[in-house]
Every structure is written in structure tokens, then in C-alpha cells.
Amino acid sequence: MEFNYDVIVVGAGHAGCEAAAAAANMGSQTLLITMDMNKIAQMSCNPAVGGIAKGQIVREIDALGGQMGIVTDMTAIQFRMLNRSKGPAMWSPRAQSDRMHFIMKWRETLDGIDNLFIWQDVVKSLVLKNGTVRGVNTAMGVTFTAKSVVLTNGTFLNGLLHIGKVQLAGGRISEPASYGITQQLAEAGFKTDRMKTGTPVRIDGKSVDFSLMEEQKGENDFHKFSYLDFEPRPLKQLSCWICNTNEQVHDALRNGLDESPLYNGQIQSIGPRYCPSIETKIVTFADKTSHQLFLEPEGENTQEYYLNGFSSSLPLHTQLEALQKIPAFRNIHIYRPGYAIEYDFFDPTQLKHTLETKLIKNLFFAGQINGTTGYEEAGGQGIIAGINSHIKAHGGEEFVLKRDEAYIGVLIDDLVTKGVDEPYRMFTSRAEYRILLRQDDADSRLTRKGESIGLAKVNRVSLLSEKEKAIEKLTHFTATSSIKPEDINPVLEKLGTAALKRTSKLKDLLSRPQITFADMVEACPALKAELESVPNRKEEIAEAVEIKIKYEGYIERERIIADKINRLENISIKDKFDYNSIHSLSTEARQKLTRIKPETIAQAGRIPGISPNDINILLVLMGR
């Protein structure tokens, strides 16, 4: 028996949920297939969303019309804006979420989308015909056909868990692995490999001495993830807690290294460089006498805590012995130990920028199947795969974000151009246009793009228009209104910045890094009245104007550079060369250009190993 859909999404993790929601909200009859409907959007590792650069991705997902930001705001039990000591280009929102509420809110969201249907089953194989995907076959013996298929299998493809010498087949603890798809795709010509990730122990809060830990409270200002107008964080807000390892902890861990899967040869695959296990930390940073740990709540009504910074695959007895050497954990009880997991992924250079595979038409990959790590990176890929799977099913121009338009664009371009040799994690340093890709203006960058494809709805666009008008009005006010030295100099003196010698425009004063609207309002009644006249989201509008004024020169300079680079993005080289016949290119260049098949000169220039001389040769051959 067959059932027909426009789009099928395999896997209901963070990539799968965004992909299915996007395709369905754009009008595709969409089927989301998951092993367990009670674990949709399960937060497999830490119960948090956002962070450095990751928070920007979540805001971009929301700006396009995605769901992760909304779900996070409604289920957050702590919110913080990271990197406040640095410039706004580095500010990154992060929230702790209630793990169970997060799942329930995602399920409620998906259930509320008209064109979206859910099926609980395991996909065993793809239906392929003449180099095109036609559907999937499941363990229940059901065949579902579709015009497009999105694979978001996470860590489930041939997943294998490690706790010391104990090995368990699974995609997560107590959840079965998935078999068959990797072998089928490898036989179709896909290059596949293995990666490793891990997760820490889960701790019973009743056994923790919180008096021996440092409390880290959240923030409760106007910031949130979604640009939609609603009151965020309806759940009880909770603290995180900080403690440190010590030499006794490290000694206990070292004594167990001979049973560590990472060091006895049991695990051969590569783990994440930027989120190492605790055993990797004590080996790599052997001179450090302590490492900071964060105890993070899993929910508002549970005693379960996540120990951030203590990821491990060491034996249970070693993990417990080491934890008990930390004063706050001397009477520790745990729900389960940390573990490592190995899983299959596919070389992402086998993908187009739409995340459609180059080898099989209408087949898309998103999430950890592409060698990434993190909910946010998965969600960013998921929404792009969902958008383009809908477009493939119904026709239209492919949807791609460039490096100067979104962190999502940087992420996908890095994957398909450079590939991965370790789990990929987004950082602000990966983006060459950080000042253009701030968290505060993702809606200005992307919402109208979302509207153009039918994903961002009318209410979202109306809110953006209203916001832009308010920003323009307030910016104009600061450029045309003045303040006298005698009114503002007492304030400037307190702030430690130079006094005014003559009347100055508010905009010129606000361009100083030390000064904000909040510093100026009492000295300038007209400014106070203007701020109070902003109809909605006063703090958000004021912050946006401040950033725009303070960074105006930097923003303009970066835009000029981006525009120059974009000219190379417009020089297409797709299918124009037989690289193996161009002997003036280096051998490495011929091999990599043939394998990756870049679509533009700029993309070719970002491939590791392609030199400026190689690019010049291609430009000469094109008559440029």
C-alpha cells in the first residue's frame, strides 16, 4: 500500500522539525516520520538553545518564519545575552529550556500546521529510480512516495554508545539505532564516515550541596529570540550553578584512562574539538589544575540537572569517583552516566547550497548527517532544506543565503565548499561579515526574503515594517535635535568621557561608546518624550538605533567589502571546465575542483588548497 506526499522528512530532531514546518507552511503536503512521537525535538544533550553565534542562527530561523525561537521563548527557564562586554556584533542570546515543555511545545506547533502529518515508524531504505528519490520504505512495510525527501537522521545511522568498555547500539540512550540507509547511499556512490559526540552525567539535585557553588542568575529584560510580539518566558525562571574540578578529580579521571574508549582504541572516529570530553581536557590541558563546570536545570519541576563541561565516556565507577571529589558533589546521586556515541555522516561537499544532494535528485540532507553538531546548526540547515524541498516539489527558484546575508549562509557554504574533518560548530569567527550579521537585525536581513517565498506571514512582515519606521523616526530625531553643554556635561563627567564645549547633535553624542539613550534621557526632556512616543517595543527600537549610530562607519565599510566579493559570486563556472585537462592548475586544485564542482569563482576560492594563482588561471580562461 502506498501513500503520497509532496515532501517527506525523515527524523524529528531539530533539523527535521524545522524542515517539516517550513515545507508545510509553504503549502506542501508534508509527512514527518519519527521513531518516537513523544521525543519530537528531543534535546539530546544540554537543555539550552543559543550561545555564541548559535543565538544568531536561531534569530535568523525566526526571521525567515521558522519555529525554534518561538518554542525556546515559550519554554525558557533562564535567558542571558552573552558577550555583553564586547560589541553588538558579538552579542549572542542563550536560553535554558525546560526539556519536557520544549518537546510538548514543538509537538503542539507541528500538530497545528494544516499540511503537516506525522507517522511513527523507522525508515529502512529510500525508493530510488533513475537517479531521483521517489519515497521511503519503513520497518512496518509501508511505502510512502513523495516529490522530495529530507534526511535528518541525527546520530541514529548505525549509532553506537560507549560507557567505558560497555557498548550499546542506539541513536540515543535507550533508543534504537537506524540501519540500512548508509549502506544504500554508499552503494549509490556517497562518501560516508564516522563521527563521535558525547554527553555528560545527569545529576539528582537533591544530592547537591548548592551552598558550595556559585549561583548564576538569568536576565529578565526585553531580549528574546523571536521577533514576533508576545510575552516570553512564562515558566518559572531558575538559576544555573558554577563549580570547578580540582587535582583530586583529575587524578581519579587519569586512573581510569586505560578504560576510556577514547584512549584505548575502542573509538576511532573524531569528536568535537570545541566541546571536548573531560578526559580529553585533562590530557590536552595537562597543566591546568581545574576546569569550570556549569550545573544546569533540566526543567522547572524536576530535580534533574545537566553538568555542562563534564562530557565523558569513562566507566560509570570512574565518573562517580571523580565527581565525588568535588565538594558540592560529595554525596552525589545520578540518573545516568555520561556516554559517547559514534554515528555515520556524509561528506557535505556532496551537497548543493540548497542542501540537495548532487548524486540523487530531490534528496536533501540536514543536521548531523552533514557532520555538524548543535541544535541551532541543525535547525538552520533544516529550514533551508525544508524550503528547497518544497520548491523542488512545486517549481520555483532555489533559495540560498549568501555569506553576507546570514550565519546560516556561512554555515552551509562552509559545509558544501570546505567539507568537515570534525563535527562542525558555528562561531562568530567563521563569519567575515560579523558586523552585518548581528543578532539584533536578523529580521531586517531576512524577513522579507521569507515573505517572498511564502514562509514569513503577514503579521511578521507588518511588525518589521512598524519597527523600521520607528527606527527611522528616532534616528532622524537624533540627527536633527541638539543638546547644550550645560545640560549634558554633568552626565558626561560621571561617565568619564570628554565634556562638550558647544551645542551638539544627539547623534554625535550617541556615537560615543560610553553613552546610551538611558544616560541622556534625564538631561534631554525632548529625547525622553520622543522615546516614550515609540508605539511598541521601546527598548528594542532604542537599542537598534544606538547600534546603527555607533557602528555606522563599520557597517558601511563591511558592506562595501561584501559587495566587492559578491561580484565574484556572480561569475558562474558551473559546468564550464574540465578541470583535469587544465594542467596549469595545481594537482590539488584539479582534484578538489573536480570533486566539489563549485558553482562560482568565489566559492572555488574558498575551497581549502585552492590558491589565488589557481583562481587567476580560471579568470584568464574566462577572458577576465
Side-chain angles (χ1 to χ4, degrees), residues 100-140:
M100 297 310 297
H101 278 283
F102 192 88
I103 291 172
M104 290 188 291
K105 185 63 181 178
W106 252 116
R107 175 68 185 277
E108 176 188 326
T109 299
L110 297 175
D111 282 342
I113 300 175
D114 289 340
N115 298 316
L116 181 55
F117 306 91
I118 301 174
W119 178 260
Q120 184 168 300
D121 203 345
V122 177
V123 172
K124 305 296 289 185
S125 64
L126 301 171
V127 178
L128 304 177
K129 186 176 181 181
N130 299 326
T132 302
V133 68
R134 304 292 186 182
V136 301
N137 298 311
T138 76
M140 291 186 186

Side-chain angles (χ1 to χ4, degrees), residues 442-568:
D443 55 346
S444 296
R445 290 185 276 120
L446 299 176
T447 292
R448 288 193 173 86
K449 289 181 179 292
E451 178 192 24
S452 70
I453 57 173
L455 185 56
K457 304 306 180 187
V458 173
N459 62 328
R460 187 180 288 278
V461 180
S462 296
L463 284 169
L464 173 60
S465 297
E466 178 186 283
K467 174 182 173 180
E468 289 177 336
K469 288 177 183 176
I471 290 173
E472 183 179 355
K473 182 173 181 288
L474 183 56
T475 302
H476 177 75
F477 178 85
T478 64
T480 56
S481 300
S482 302
I483 192 166
K484 296 178 180 178
E486 58 266 29
D487 293 331
I488 194 65
N489 278 344
V491 176
L492 301 182
E493 184 178 345
K494 289 181 182 178
L495 294 173
T497 185
L500 288 182
K501 294 181 179 180
R502 61 183 67 87
T503 298
S504 175
K505 297 295 184 187
L506 296 179
K507 181 178 179 181
D508 295 334
L509 197 58
L510 196 61
S511 66
R512 297 188 186 187
Q514 305 93 338
I515 299 175
T516 67
F517 276 127
D519 300 319
M520 298 167 63
V521 288
E522 295 306 325
C524 185
L527 174 61
K528 185 175 183 179
E530 183 69 20
L531 288 170
E532 289 177 350
S533 72
V534 175
N536 292 305
R537 299 178 290 173
K538 293 179 173 59
E539 298 96 333
E540 182 181 342
I541 302 302
E543 181 180 89
V545 173
E546 277 189 27
I547 293 171
K548 181 179 177 182
I549 291 173
K550 291 182 188 298
Y551 290 86
E552 186 174 28
Y554 298 101
I555 292 169
E556 180 60 28
R557 184 177 66 184
E558 204 159 269
R559 171 46 57 202
I560 291 171
I561 295 171
D563 289 343
K564 287 181 179 179
I565 297 299
N566 278 335
R567 292 177 198 142
L568 294 180

Side-chain angles (χ1 to χ4, degrees), residues 3 36 76 92 96 115 188 202 221 230 247 252 286 306 309 330 332 343 405 430 486 488 537 561 578 587-588 617:
F3 302 88
D36 190 343
S92 301
Q96 294 290 131
N115 298 316
R202 302 304 198 270
D221 63 7
F230 59 85
E247 285 285 18
Y306 174 97
R330 59 177 176 263
I332 196 78
Y343 56 93
E405 292 177 326
R430 295 193 190 273
E486 58 266 29
I488 194 65
R537 299 178 290 173
I561 295 171
D578 174 7
T587 300
E588 183 178 7
I617 289 169

Side-chain angles (χ1 to χ4, degrees), residues 169-214:
R172 278 191 294 250
I173 195 76
S174 302
E175 296 183 57
S178 176
Y179 302 98
I181 292 176
T182 298
Q183 181 180 357
Q184 183 186 20
L185 291 176
E187 290 173 353
F190 283 85
K191 180 183 176 184
T192 183
D193 209 334
R194 300 278 281 176
M195 277 190 176
K196 169 261 172 187
T197 188
T199 192
V201 59
R202 302 304 198 270
I203 292 174
D204 185 345
K206 297 192 299 295
S207 66
V208 175
D209 187 345
F210 289 97
S211 68
L212 300 177
M213 305 183 80
E214 176 188 343

Side-chain angles (χ1 to χ4, degrees), residues 37-332:
M37 292 170 62
N38 296 313
K39 292 183 178 177
I40 284 174
Q42 166 77 298
M43 304 176 99
S44 307
C45 204
N46 61 324
V49 170
I52 307 302
K54 293 168 173 280
Q56 282 89 327
I57 291 176
V58 179
R59 298 218 85 188
E60 290 173 354
I61 291 170
D62 182 78
L64 286 169
Q67 306 300 316
M68 182 181 279
I70 300 169
V71 173
T72 302
D73 285 336
M74 298 307 293
T75 61
I77 51 178
Q78 189 191 91
F79 183 93
R80 295 176 64 222
M81 184 67 75
L82 307 184
N83 271 350
R84 282 186 183 271
S85 62
K86 300 179 181 179
M90 307 294 283
W91 294 357
S92 301
R94 183 183 189 271
Q96 294 290 131
S97 279
D98 183 301
R99 187 186 298 273
M100 297 310 297
H101 278 283
F102 192 88
I103 291 172
M104 290 188 291
K105 185 63 181 178
W106 252 116
R107 175 68 185 277
E108 176 188 326
T109 299
L110 297 175
D111 282 342
I113 300 175
D114 289 340
N115 298 316
L116 181 55
F117 306 91
I118 301 174
W119 178 260
Q120 184 168 300
D121 203 345
V122 177
V123 172
K124 305 296 289 185
S125 64
L126 301 171
V127 178
L128 304 177
K129 186 176 181 181
N130 299 326
T132 302
V133 68
R134 304 292 186 182
V136 301
N137 298 311
T138 76
M140 291 186 186
V142 183
T143 296
F144 295 100
T145 61
K147 299 172 184 175
S148 300
V149 174
V150 184
L151 294 185
T152 68
N153 302 76
T155 59
F156 282 79
L157 293 179
N158 294 320
L160 183 64
L161 280 58
H162 300 263
I163 307 172
K165 295 180 180 178
V166 176
Q167 297 183 49
L168 303 169
R172 278 191 294 250
I173 195 76
S174 302
E175 296 183 57
S178 176
Y179 302 98
I181 292 176
T182 298
Q183 181 180 357
Q184 183 186 20
L185 291 176
E187 290 173 353
F190 283 85
K191 180 183 176 184
T192 183
D193 209 334
R194 300 278 281 176
M195 277 190 176
K196 169 261 172 187
T197 188
T199 192
V201 59
R202 302 304 198 270
I203 292 174
D204 185 345
K206 297 192 299 295
S207 66
V208 175
D209 187 345
F210 289 97
S211 68
L212 300 177
M213 305 183 80
E214 176 188 343
E215 186 174 11
Q216 184 185 55
K217 294 184 177 181
E219 302 169 358
N220 197 27
D221 63 7
F222 68 93
H223 289 105
K224 56 184 173 61
F225 281 102
S226 180
Y227 291 95
L228 295 179
D229 194 11
F230 59 85
E231 197 67 33
R233 301 187 283 280
L235 303 184
K236 180 182 178 183
Q237 299 300 287
L238 303 175
S239 295
C240 294
W241 302 84
I242 302 173
C243 64
N244 292 277
T245 63
N246 54 50
E247 285 285 18
Q248 291 74 37
V249 174
H250 297 180
D251 288 341
L253 294 169
R254 289 189 193 99
N255 291 336
L257 285 180
D258 59 338
E259 295 183 277
S260 167
L262 290 176
Y263 293 100
N264 65 11
Q266 188 172 309
I267 290 178
Q268 297 291 327
S269 51
I270 300 173
R273 178 193 305 267
Y274 302 105
C275 188
S277 65
I278 189 65
E279 53 264 41
T280 300
K281 289 180 185 178
I282 65 166
V283 171
T284 305
F285 308 105
D287 57 323
K288 292 200 67 172
T289 58
S290 69
H291 293 281
Q292 196 170 57
L293 305 176
F294 295 85
L295 193 64
E296 302 173 341
E298 295 265 343
E300 63 171 349
N301 296 312
T302 179
Q303 288 294 328
E304 187 176 357
Y305 281 80
Y306 174 97
L307 189 58
N308 199 337
F310 205 86
S311 176
S312 180
S313 59
L314 287 164
L316 169 60
H317 64 86
T318 302
Q319 293 187 42
L320 279 174
E321 182 183 351
L323 287 168
Q324 288 166 350
K325 303 296 184 183
I326 298 172
F329 298 151
R330 59 177 176 263
N331 298 313
I332 196 78

